[in-house]
Amino acid sequence: MNPHRRQLLGWGAAAAGAALAPGLRLIELAQARSPQEAASKLQRWGLLIDITKCTDCDVCVTACHEENGVSGHGRPATDAQWIRKVSLRDKRTGYAQTLPLMCQHCEDPPCVDVCPTGASFRRDDGIVLVDKHTCIGCRYCVMACPYGARSVVHEAVSGQKAGVPRGKGTVESCTLCVHRVDRGQTPACVEACNRDGGKAMAFGDLNDPAAEIHRRLKSEPSSQVRADLALNTGVRYQGL
Amino acid sequence: MMRIAAGIVVAALMAAGCADAEEKRARRIALPVFKIEKGGTCVAPIEEMRRDHMTMLLHQRDRTVRQGLREPRNSLGNCIECHASRETGSVLGKEGFCASCHAYASVSIDCFECHTPLRRQRTAARP
Ligand code: SF4
Ligand code: SF4
């Protein structure tokens, strides 16, 4: 779809949103894609996380696990983790930082390279997912991911959320809340951080010149975790 | 004239007998017990649905997961919305739409290892 057409559709959606539901955020509605429209190569979804604003809270983690029905069994060593808070401390100066870490939605994802069944894949709009229908639970991707972003589900699951299937013997990781993104919403962590947290997270289309995330990445310094691996991550950090 | 009338009577009797026998046979054969919660038309004719629902779901799942096409028509969620039981809100359970037929045909059903068998509204309304 050319950018002009997208702009027009965006305005259409915004107008419809304004007329129908005054409480909703227009910027989110403008991103909605119709169910008949496939994910597009023109887009690249990503996150920008300003860790100077990231405080000691963990509302992003709670919101993610609530949204996606990720519940543990009180066994931290094996329970699934889609997002976690990581603490950094400079040994010499004692300067401490904390940041949320999840699947970085790499452009060249090692998890996809090693998957023997093709279950681990990158969607056209840059979201890296596991197709659990074909995942055999071999965990090669868990080993290959440099960010430790993936978990295997060890035990039978019940009480899954509609739109977020989870099951024993498959691997999972942050989906960038693909079910919400496809509805035109932002990921649960971003929503929670901007509501109850330090307002450190932004979500958007890295390719869209009109998006805030694109403007900020263009005009402000940012970095990737393990940039040396040249994976071109979709999740970027500031203040790291 | 007489002969024609007799013919009609015989034919009618035979038809009645046939229907009777069929009904008796049907009662002897065990059939799956399930409730179709929402009657009316499905997304395809019944015969096609019985034979090919798994192919439809298989095709749709790849479109949804791989391409992000969330067309509701052949989606598992759409099946559940219509067919989940009014009491339990689920397509599983003894008289559940999916479970009872699959138990009858002795075909294991893997969808609900990962997907929720509950209708959306019901899930939302639960405490
Ligand atoms: S962060 Fe890990 S799981 Fe996510 S795309 Fe990169 S290699 Fe794959
Ligand atoms: S665990 Fe699943 S997704 Fe990961 S490499 Fe094996 S088959 Fe692929």
Side-chain angles (χ1 to χ4, degrees), chain A residues 6-27:
Chain A
R6 189 162 74 197
Q7 183 68 61
L8 281 178
L9 282 178
W11 284 117
L20 292 173
L24 291 171
R25 283 174 53 195
L26 298 182
I27 185 100

Side-chain angles (χ1 to χ4, degrees), chain A residues 33 35-36 38-39 118 121 123 131 133 160 165-167 182, chain B residues 61-62 65-72 113-116 120:
Chain A
R33 184 163 53 81
Q36 276 79 26
F121 73 103
R123 214 169 76 155
D131 183 346
H133 301 113
Q160 294 93 335
R166 301 182 65 229
D182 283 352
Chain B
R61 84 172 197 201
D62 288 341
V65 178
R66 300 269 161 179
Q67 292 167 268
L69 290 157
R70 293 179 184 267
E71 302 126 321
E113 303 276 303
C114 287
H115 290 275
T116 174
R120 239 173 228 273

